[in-house]
Amino acid sequence: MRPNIGRTNSYIRTIAGFSILSIATARMAKKPWKKSFMLLAVLGAMKVAEGLMQFCPLVALWDKRNSWMDDALDWDNETSNYLHHSEVGVGE
């Protein structure tokens, strides 16, 4: 995996993740029957992991989608798209 987030972004994610994780574990200690705090702890742990690995799966997915859309909508180099065919067919 190549890092896809910067160092500053990584630090922010790590600090925010540890904060969320500590709040969630403190709340779980008071009310262990509530399942929402477990979900919050998992989300905080995911942020810590993203920060330490400098890799965010959502950013990777977004970049992949954008590169696919850029390739699909490359109007300058496209020779067989709908607009070119409709413009050629207009004069006939």
Side-chain angles (χ1 to χ4, degrees):
M1 285 184 300
R2 274 188 336 179
N4 63 356
I5 58 174
R7 183 173 288 167
T8 305
N9 195 341
S10 161
Y11 292 147
I12 291 170
R13 285 174 192 255
T14 305
I15 291 168
F18 276 127
S19 299
I20 293 169
L21 189 59
S22 65
I23 290 169
T25 52
R27 298 283 174 118
M28 278 194 301
K30 288 184 178 182
K31 299 178 183 177
W33 60 89
K34 293 198 80 167
K35 300 295 182 193
S36 61
F37 298 132
M38 179 60 85
L39 177 65
L40 195 61
V42 169
L43 292 176
M46 284 175 48
K47 285 295 165 192
V48 170
E50 288 173 5
L52 293 177
M53 300 295 288
Q54 291 186 348
F55 180 80
C56 179
L58 292 177
V59 171
L61 189 63
W62 183 259
D63 289 343
K64 185 176 180 180
R65 178 190 172 274
N66 282 343
S67 68
W68 175 80
M69 289 298 287
D70 290 342
D71 292 342
L73 298 176
D74 190 14
W75 299 107
D76 296 333
N77 297 328
E78 188 70 29
T79 58
S80 63
N81 62 27
Y82 179 74
L83 291 176
H84 284 104
H85 287 294
S86 64
E87 290 173 0
V88 171
V90 171
E92 295 176 0

